[in-house]
PDB file of all heavy atoms in Angstrom:
ATOM      1  N   GLU A 172      -4.548  -0.971  -9.709  1.00 92.00           N
ATOM      2  CA  GLU A 172      -4.862   0.443  -9.549  1.00 92.00           C
ATOM      3  C   GLU A 172      -6.341   0.712  -9.783  1.00 92.00           C
ATOM      4  O   GLU A 172      -6.970   1.475  -9.040  1.00 92.00           O
ATOM      5  CB  GLU A 172      -4.004   1.296 -10.486  1.00 92.00           C
ATOM      6  CG  GLU A 172      -4.258   2.790 -10.327  1.00 92.00           C
ATOM      7  CD  GLU A 172      -3.245   3.634 -11.072  1.00 92.00           C
ATOM      8  OE1 GLU A 172      -2.094   3.202 -11.223  1.00 92.00           O
ATOM      9  OE2 GLU A 172      -3.612   4.752 -11.484  1.00 92.00           O
ATOM     10  N   LEU A 173      -6.904   0.112 -10.825  1.00 95.00           N
ATOM     11  CA  LEU A 173      -8.328   0.316 -11.117  1.00 95.00           C
ATOM     12  C   LEU A 173      -9.210  -0.194  -9.977  1.00 95.00           C
ATOM     13  O   LEU A 173     -10.235   0.424  -9.662  1.00 95.00           O
ATOM     14  CB  LEU A 173      -8.701  -0.383 -12.417  1.00 95.00           C
ATOM     15  CG  LEU A 173      -8.112   0.216 -13.697  1.00 95.00           C
ATOM     16  CD1 LEU A 173      -8.507  -0.611 -14.912  1.00 95.00           C
ATOM     17  CD2 LEU A 173      -8.560   1.666 -13.872  1.00 95.00           C
ATOM     18  N   LYS A 174      -8.800  -1.274  -9.359  1.00 94.00           N
ATOM     19  CA  LYS A 174      -9.575  -1.829  -8.244  1.00 94.00           C
ATOM     20  C   LYS A 174      -9.604  -0.849  -7.080  1.00 94.00           C
ATOM     21  O   LYS A 174     -10.622  -0.674  -6.415  1.00 94.00           O
ATOM     22  CB  LYS A 174      -8.972  -3.174  -7.805  1.00 94.00           C
ATOM     23  CG  LYS A 174      -9.804  -3.893  -6.752  1.00 94.00           C
ATOM     24  CD  LYS A 174      -9.193  -5.272  -6.454  1.00 94.00           C
ATOM     25  CE  LYS A 174     -10.019  -6.007  -5.401  1.00 94.00           C
ATOM     26  NZ  LYS A 174      -9.449  -7.365  -5.117  1.00 94.00           N
ATOM     27  N   PHE A 175      -8.468  -0.180  -6.834  1.00 95.00           N
ATOM     28  CA  PHE A 175      -8.418   0.806  -5.764  1.00 95.00           C
ATOM     29  C   PHE A 175      -9.285   2.012  -6.115  1.00 95.00           C
ATOM     30  O   PHE A 175     -10.021   2.531  -5.265  1.00 95.00           O
ATOM     31  CB  PHE A 175      -6.979   1.243  -5.503  1.00 95.00           C
ATOM     32  CG  PHE A 175      -6.852   2.185  -4.336  1.00 95.00           C
ATOM     33  CD1 PHE A 175      -6.945   1.697  -3.049  1.00 95.00           C
ATOM     34  CD2 PHE A 175      -6.648   3.532  -4.542  1.00 95.00           C
ATOM     35  CE1 PHE A 175      -6.851   2.558  -1.964  1.00 95.00           C
ATOM     36  CE2 PHE A 175      -6.557   4.405  -3.460  1.00 95.00           C
ATOM     37  CZ  PHE A 175      -6.656   3.917  -2.170  1.00 95.00           C
ATOM     38  N   ASP A 176      -9.217   2.462  -7.376  1.00 97.00           N
ATOM     39  CA  ASP A 176     -10.094   3.554  -7.828  1.00 97.00           C
ATOM     40  C   ASP A 176     -11.555   3.202  -7.586  1.00 97.00           C
ATOM     41  O   ASP A 176     -12.345   4.029  -7.110  1.00 97.00           O
ATOM     42  CB  ASP A 176      -9.896   3.823  -9.328  1.00 97.00           C
ATOM     43  CG  ASP A 176      -8.596   4.546  -9.647  1.00 97.00           C
ATOM     44  OD1 ASP A 176      -7.872   4.911  -8.691  1.00 97.00           O
ATOM     45  OD2 ASP A 176      -8.290   4.719 -10.829  1.00 97.00           O
ATOM     46  N   GLN A 177     -11.936   1.989  -7.940  1.00 97.00           N
ATOM     47  CA  GLN A 177     -13.320   1.558  -7.772  1.00 97.00           C
ATOM     48  C   GLN A 177     -13.743   1.543  -6.311  1.00 97.00           C
ATOM     49  O   GLN A 177     -14.870   1.866  -5.972  1.00 97.00           O
ATOM     50  CB  GLN A 177     -13.495   0.174  -8.403  1.00 97.00           C
ATOM     51  CG  GLN A 177     -13.413   0.182  -9.923  1.00 97.00           C
ATOM     52  CD  GLN A 177     -13.205  -1.208 -10.519  1.00 97.00           C
ATOM     53  OE1 GLN A 177     -13.154  -2.212  -9.808  1.00 97.00           O
ATOM     54  NE2 GLN A 177     -13.054  -1.277 -11.841  1.00 97.00           N
ATOM     55  N   ARG A 178     -12.797   1.165  -5.434  1.00 97.00           N
ATOM     56  CA  ARG A 178     -13.102   1.160  -4.001  1.00 97.00           C
ATOM     57  C   ARG A 178     -13.392   2.589  -3.521  1.00 97.00           C
ATOM     58  O   ARG A 178     -14.364   2.822  -2.775  1.00 97.00           O
ATOM     59  CB  ARG A 178     -11.940   0.558  -3.226  1.00 97.00           C
ATOM     60  CG  ARG A 178     -12.154   0.497  -1.729  1.00 97.00           C
ATOM     61  CD  ARG A 178     -11.039  -0.219  -1.005  1.00 97.00           C
ATOM     62  NE  ARG A 178     -11.164  -1.669  -1.112  1.00 97.00           N
ATOM     63  CZ  ARG A 178     -10.385  -2.444  -1.836  1.00 97.00           C
ATOM     64  NH1 ARG A 178      -9.409  -1.918  -2.551  1.00 97.00           N
ATOM     65  NH2 ARG A 178     -10.553  -3.739  -1.876  1.00 97.00           N
ATOM     66  N   LEU A 179     -12.555   3.547  -3.941  1.00 98.00           N
ATOM     67  CA  LEU A 179     -12.787   4.938  -3.568  1.00 98.00           C
ATOM     68  C   LEU A 179     -14.103   5.463  -4.124  1.00 98.00           C
ATOM     69  O   LEU A 179     -14.865   6.150  -3.434  1.00 98.00           O
ATOM     70  CB  LEU A 179     -11.637   5.815  -4.074  1.00 98.00           C
ATOM     71  CG  LEU A 179     -10.305   5.736  -3.322  1.00 98.00           C
ATOM     72  CD1 LEU A 179      -9.245   6.561  -4.052  1.00 98.00           C
ATOM     73  CD2 LEU A 179     -10.448   6.221  -1.889  1.00 98.00           C
ATOM     74  N   GLU A 180     -14.375   5.126  -5.379  1.00 98.00           N
ATOM     75  CA  GLU A 180     -15.617   5.587  -6.004  1.00 98.00           C
ATOM     76  C   GLU A 180     -16.829   5.024  -5.273  1.00 98.00           C
ATOM     77  O   GLU A 180     -17.834   5.728  -5.051  1.00 98.00           O
ATOM     78  CB  GLU A 180     -15.652   5.191  -7.472  1.00 98.00           C
ATOM     79  CG  GLU A 180     -16.876   5.745  -8.206  1.00 98.00           C
ATOM     80  CD  GLU A 180     -16.912   5.383  -9.670  1.00 98.00           C
ATOM     81  OE1 GLU A 180     -16.090   4.559 -10.118  1.00 98.00           O
ATOM     82  OE2 GLU A 180     -17.770   5.942 -10.384  1.00 98.00           O
ATOM     83  N   GLU A 181     -16.759   3.763  -4.887  1.00 97.00           N
ATOM     84  CA  GLU A 181     -17.870   3.141  -4.167  1.00 97.00           C
ATOM     85  C   GLU A 181     -18.144   3.853  -2.834  1.00 97.00           C
ATOM     86  O   GLU A 181     -19.307   4.077  -2.475  1.00 97.00           O
ATOM     87  CB  GLU A 181     -17.520   1.673  -3.898  1.00 97.00           C
ATOM     88  CG  GLU A 181     -18.578   0.923  -3.072  1.00 97.00           C
ATOM     89  CD  GLU A 181     -18.066  -0.410  -2.591  1.00 97.00           C
ATOM     90  OE1 GLU A 181     -17.151  -0.988  -3.211  1.00 97.00           O
ATOM     91  OE2 GLU A 181     -18.577  -0.885  -1.557  1.00 97.00           O
ATOM     92  N   ILE A 182     -17.083   4.235  -2.129  1.00 97.00           N
ATOM     93  CA  ILE A 182     -17.254   4.959  -0.868  1.00 97.00           C
ATOM     94  C   ILE A 182     -17.916   6.307  -1.115  1.00 97.00           C
ATOM     95  O   ILE A 182     -18.822   6.711  -0.370  1.00 97.00           O
ATOM     96  CB  ILE A 182     -15.892   5.143  -0.164  1.00 97.00           C
ATOM     97  CG1 ILE A 182     -15.276   3.793   0.174  1.00 97.00           C
ATOM     98  CG2 ILE A 182     -16.063   5.974   1.097  1.00 97.00           C
ATOM     99  CD1 ILE A 182     -13.834   3.876   0.672  1.00 97.00           C
ATOM    100  N   CYS A 183     -17.459   7.016  -2.133  1.00 97.00           N
ATOM    101  CA  CYS A 183     -18.054   8.307  -2.479  1.00 97.00           C
ATOM    102  C   CYS A 183     -19.537   8.163  -2.793  1.00 97.00           C
ATOM    103  O   CYS A 183     -20.380   8.934  -2.295  1.00 97.00           O
ATOM    104  CB  CYS A 183     -17.323   8.935  -3.664  1.00 97.00           C
ATOM    105  SG  CYS A 183     -15.617   9.414  -3.326  1.00 97.00           S
ATOM    106  N   GLN A 184     -19.863   7.179  -3.601  1.00 97.00           N
ATOM    107  CA  GLN A 184     -21.253   6.969  -3.981  1.00 97.00           C
ATOM    108  C   GLN A 184     -22.103   6.550  -2.792  1.00 97.00           C
ATOM    109  O   GLN A 184     -23.273   6.964  -2.665  1.00 97.00           O
ATOM    110  CB  GLN A 184     -21.335   5.921  -5.097  1.00 97.00           C
ATOM    111  CG  GLN A 184     -20.764   6.412  -6.417  1.00 97.00           C
ATOM    112  CD  GLN A 184     -20.774   5.348  -7.492  1.00 97.00           C
ATOM    113  OE1 GLN A 184     -20.959   4.170  -7.224  1.00 97.00           O
ATOM    114  NE2 GLN A 184     -20.536   5.764  -8.731  1.00 97.00           N
ATOM    115  N   GLN A 185     -21.534   5.749  -1.906  1.00 96.00           N
ATOM    116  CA  GLN A 185     -22.244   5.341  -0.692  1.00 96.00           C
ATOM    117  C   GLN A 185     -22.553   6.561   0.164  1.00 96.00           C
ATOM    118  O   GLN A 185     -23.673   6.711   0.705  1.00 96.00           O
ATOM    119  CB  GLN A 185     -21.382   4.350   0.102  1.00 96.00           C
ATOM    120  CG  GLN A 185     -22.020   3.885   1.423  1.00 96.00           C
ATOM    121  CD  GLN A 185     -21.039   3.111   2.292  1.00 96.00           C
ATOM    122  OE1 GLN A 185     -19.828   3.136   2.059  1.00 96.00           O
ATOM    123  NE2 GLN A 185     -21.545   2.437   3.299  1.00 96.00           N
ATOM    124  N   GLY A 186     -21.572   7.449   0.298  1.00 97.00           N
ATOM    125  CA  GLY A 186     -21.777   8.664   1.085  1.00 97.00           C
ATOM    126  C   GLY A 186     -22.779   9.613   0.458  1.00 97.00           C
ATOM    127  O   GLY A 186     -23.572  10.252   1.158  1.00 97.00           O
TER     128      GLY A 186
END
Side-chain angles (χ1 to χ4, degrees):
E172 182 170 330
L173 291 177
K174 186 175 180 179
F175 185 75
D176 286 356
Q177 290 164 2
R178 180 175 281 109
L179 285 174
E180 184 178 10
E181 177 192 335
I182 298 171
C183 293
Q184 291 177 346
Q185 179 191 14

